[in-house]
Amino acid sequence: MLKNKQVNHFAAVVDDVQSGPFSELQGRLDEIQDNGMTALTMRSILFNKMLDLHNVPDDHFLRNESTAKKLDDPSVLVEKLNNLGFVRKQKQNGVIH
């Protein structure tokens, strides 16, 4: 049936019971790309967001480096940040006693 139809959009494939949020995120990312943002720009934004999460100052040398090559495995960047003294604070859930 699909032989004659051109398919321009594929739904996100997620093997998770909670796939709703992932599908929603995929839809948002598709919309962003459809509006002209490239994947490389998204990559750069994610890199800087990771630096934000680790409270790296705006004038730090890491902000001037090119985007990390291995964003698919951020453990290398997290280890580098931790070695430089930037440790992400864990979100506290519940009541503090």
Side-chain angles (χ1 to χ4, degrees):
M1 283 193 212
L2 287 175
K3 291 180 185 176
N4 299 331
K5 289 186 177 183
Q6 182 178 3
V7 178
N8 291 329
H9 177 22
F10 293 97
V13 177
V14 181
D15 275 346
D16 193 326
V17 175
Q18 311 234 347
S19 64
F22 294 114
S23 296
E24 182 181 333
L25 178 59
Q26 182 66 49
R28 288 183 192 175
L29 290 171
D30 289 342
E31 183 180 340
I32 289 169
Q33 276 191 301
D34 291 344
N35 287 326
M37 185 177 288
T38 67
L40 291 175
T41 302
M42 283 187 213
R43 206 168 171 270
S44 178
I45 290 169
L46 289 172
F47 173 71
N48 280 289
K49 186 62 180 173
M50 183 173 277
L51 296 180
D52 290 345
L53 290 172
H54 284 82
N55 299 314
V56 176
D58 290 338
D59 59 349
H60 196 273
F61 75 90
L62 285 174
R63 299 270 184 188
N64 295 326
E65 288 186 1
S66 60
T67 304
K69 302 258 187 265
K70 301 252 325 166
L71 284 183
D72 55 331
D73 180 15
S75 63
V76 175
L77 178 59
V78 170
E79 183 178 337
K80 182 176 183 177
L81 289 168
N82 290 341
N83 289 339
L84 290 170
F86 298 108
V87 179
R88 181 177 177 187
K89 294 181 182 175
Q90 296 297 321
K91 183 178 177 183
Q92 293 182 351
N93 293 328
V95 179
I96 300 174
H97 296 279

